Amino acid sequence: SAVISQKPSRDICQRGTSLTIQCQVDSQVTMMFWYRQQPGQSLTLIATANQGSEATYESGFVIDKFPISRPNLTFSTLTVSNMSPEDSSIYLCSVGLSGADTQYFGPGTRLTVL
Amino acid sequence: AQSVSQHNHHVILSEAASLELGCNYSYGGTVNLFWYVQYPGQHLQLLLKYFSGDPLVKGIKGFEAEFIKSKFSFNLRKPSVQWSDTAEYFCAVNNAGNMLTFGGGTRLMVKP
């Protein structure tokens, strides 16, 4: 497995502002992913963070709203832009080991937008 | 597109009862199957996984799951639950290298 950390662990933000979430892994990994877990719901994949190229977004998620950086094989950031209360969720990063077949998750960032 | 359904949203059991959580998926090709667990206040952890071979896989903490290809199912079982098994359980599927699709989750409460 891998040790994954996220910062911040939680935040309360005002509507219209942006928050950048960091994900750090203790080893080099090829695949990194960002998920959203809305209150009382399951996890939904936002995008795959590709090192050296643009992220690949899932249906319903766009780069302008959720820009992602992946500067190296151990680090990625997700920005939640122009936030609204509907963005209140837990945001999780995960890494794929053994290709992408097994994913391990970070502790999550609990975001509340007022 | 693949989808995953978990039949029970909430399950309440007494300690020592047996557990079976249902998971069905819709995808006709080769799949990898996972169960994740999220204990209260903790992050998502891998419980067990199936890639190939013996369809009965054993995971941590006495959990096991059986892959039945003909039924597109991957049910999670434990013969005797403990209070510490109180958590939310997620079934997930990926088609060999692609994205993970999660089921809606099952909240298990074990009464002491």
Side-chain angles (χ1 to χ4, degrees):
Chain A
S1 63
V3 177
I4 306 164
S5 60
Q6 287 185 232
K7 289 182 183 179
S9 59
R10 59 178 64 225
D11 207 342
I12 300 173
C13 300
Q14 295 297 321
R15 180 197 297 261
T17 62
S18 298
L19 176 72
T20 295
I21 302 167
Q22 299 178 7
C23 178
Q24 180 77 51
V25 190
D26 68 340
S27 58
Q28 293 186 338
V29 294
T30 305
M31 310 293 289
M32 292 183 79
F33 306 87
W34 286 98
Y35 288 81
R36 181 173 72 182
Q37 186 178 19
Q38 293 179 299
Q41 297 190 30
S42 187
L43 285 81
T44 303
L45 180 65
I46 297 171
T48 303
N50 305 307
Q51 197 270 331
S53 64
E54 280 198 0
T56 306
Y57 289 83
E58 297 303 313
S59 176
F61 298 96
V62 295
I63 187 172
D64 290 347
K65 176 68 176 177
F66 297 102
I68 287 171
S69 78
R70 179 88 195 272
N72 57 52
L73 293 175
T74 64
F75 186 78
S76 178
T77 67
L78 169 77
T79 299
V80 186
S81 303
N82 188 24
M83 288 183 284
S84 67
E86 291 72 34
D87 294 319
S88 297
S89 290
I90 298 173
Y91 291 86
L92 301 104
C93 72
S94 74
V95 302
L97 303 183
S98 303
D101 291 344
T102 302
Q103 290 185 30
Y104 295 90
F105 286 81
T109 296
R110 184 180 294 272
L111 170 63
T112 302
V113 184
L114 303 178
Chain B
Q2 58 198 23
S3 65
V4 181
S5 62
Q6 293 180 238
H7 317 300
N8 314 99
H9 298 293
H10 292 90
V11 173
I12 301 174
L13 295 173
S14 298
E15 275 195 315
S18 64
L19 171 72
E20 181 160 2
L21 301 182
C23 173
N24 285 89
Y25 66 93
S26 65
Y27 183 74
T30 302
V31 291
N32 299 320
L33 299 151
F34 306 84
W35 276 97
Y36 286 87
V37 60
Q38 191 168 31
Y39 297 103
Q42 297 189 29
H43 65 277
L44 209 60
Q45 301 173 40
L46 182 66
L47 200 54
L48 50 78
K49 61 186 178 182
Y50 172 80
F51 285 0
S52 63
D54 188 344
L56 184 64
V57 292
K58 295 190 183 299
I60 61 173
K61 304 186 180 185
F63 285 91
E64 64 179 31
E66 184 175 13
F67 170 51
I68 303 179
K69 188 174 181 180
S70 61
K71 294 184 178 181
F72 297 90
S73 70
F74 189 55
N75 292 355
L76 180 71
R77 300 195 293 249
K78 186 171 183 178
S80 175
V81 294
Q82 301 172 322
W83 176 78
S84 58
D85 293 324
T86 294
E88 188 158 16
Y89 294 81
F90 294 94
C91 180
V93 172
N94 78 2
N95 54 334
N98 218 324
M99 62 176 245
L100 265 181
T101 300
F102 281 85
T106 298
R107 288 184 184 271
L108 171 66
M109 177 183 293
V110 180
K111 298 184 293 185

